[in-house]
Amino acid sequence: SDLTLSDLAHEVRTSVRTLQRLFRDRQGTTFQTYRTDCRMQQAAVLLRMHFRVADVAVRVGIPDPARFSRVFRAHHGKSPKQYQRTQPGTERTEHVPGDDTSS
């Protein structure tokens, strides 16, 4: 899902700023960086499973493939297609752990 810091702050009944501070103090990083790291880890799993780049982008919450490719390259040091070609494959399944969307 596209969980925002504002949504999370509302759920735990605190301000966005307080939640930012608590998150940074406990996790050592910002919420946005943490969320991007999680998305890119999941993207790497899906790419190794031979999903199309555009499908991976949508599944990890970045529906613009060009933007997804830029973020992926910044995180992994290579484009999604380059990453996919250089990684050992994993059998593609219809259900990905932690993924609530169906194929």
Side-chain angles (χ1 to χ4, degrees):
S1 72
D2 197 21
L3 181 66
T4 66
L5 197 56
S6 180
D7 295 337
L8 193 54
H10 179 74
E11 286 296 316
V12 297
R13 302 180 202 281
T14 191
S15 72
V16 171
R17 181 65 187 125
T18 298
L19 190 55
Q20 286 173 324
R21 209 171 23 254
L22 286 170
F23 197 92
R24 186 188 64 238
D25 291 347
R26 300 238 167 98
Q27 295 295 321
T29 189
T30 65
F31 175 77
Q32 290 80 4
T33 299
Y34 179 81
R35 183 176 62 180
T36 298
D37 289 346
C38 290
R39 285 176 171 175
M40 293 304 103
Q41 288 174 12
Q42 184 64 29
V45 169
L46 294 171
L47 289 168
R48 286 193 304 269
M49 294 170 69
H50 305 290
F51 280 89
R52 291 180 333 120
V53 172
D55 293 338
V56 172
V58 170
R59 284 177 175 254
V60 300
I62 306 174
D64 175 15
R67 180 170 168 253
F68 168 75
S69 291
R70 282 191 306 273
V71 173
F72 190 90
R73 181 184 294 273
H75 196 270
H76 288 284
K78 51 182 83 169
S79 74
K81 276 293 194 192
Q82 289 170 329
Y83 180 87
Q84 200 169 44
R85 283 193 296 265
T86 61
Q87 296 299 307
T90 304
E91 185 176 323
R92 181 175 174 174
T93 61
E94 290 307 311
H95 178 75
V96 177
D99 181 20
D100 293 333
T101 61
S102 59
S103 297

